Amino acid sequence: MSVKVRIPTILRTYTGGQAEVPAEGAKLSEVIASLEENHPGIAARVLDDQGKLRRFVNVYVNDDDVRFEGGLDAATPDGAGVSIIPAVAGGC
């Protein structure tokens, strides 16, 4: 399955500045492995030391938050859009 992954500005150093890159995989874990193969270092920014999604990184397949769709086992159908969105904190 081929998907399009939207890369946040902070991670674009791993993709040569590209805002969107292709990746392969039928589930999110395979898509992240594909990203790592083509853009070394990016997986460490998305996954923690135990290989789970980092707490402050949100990932969506199309408009669905993967935390409610099986996490790393979330399906990534052919042509899906995958968005990696680091959480932003702050306030006054």
Side-chain angles (χ1 to χ4, degrees):
M1 303 290 159
S2 180
V3 300
K4 295 177 186 171
V5 182
R6 287 180 283 284
I7 306 296
T9 304
I10 197 164
L11 297 180
R12 291 183 190 164
T13 55
Y14 297 98
T15 62
Q18 295 179 67
E20 187 173 278
V21 295
E24 300 291 326
K27 59 183 183 175
L28 183 58
S29 61
E30 295 170 359
V31 168
I32 293 172
S34 175
L35 280 175
E36 180 64 20
E37 183 177 317
N38 295 305
H39 308 285
I42 200 166
R45 301 294 179 228
V46 177
L47 304 175
D48 64 18
D49 293 339
Q50 288 77 41
K52 297 179 181 177
L53 287 173
R54 288 189 178 276
R55 183 173 175 194
F56 298 109
V57 175
N58 299 308
V59 180
Y60 294 85
V61 175
N62 294 324
D63 292 327
D64 299 320
D65 186 335
V66 300
R67 294 190 196 281
F68 304 105
E69 301 295 327
L72 291 171
D73 290 327
T76 53
D78 197 40
V82 175
S83 299
I84 300 170
I85 304 172
V88 178
C92 300

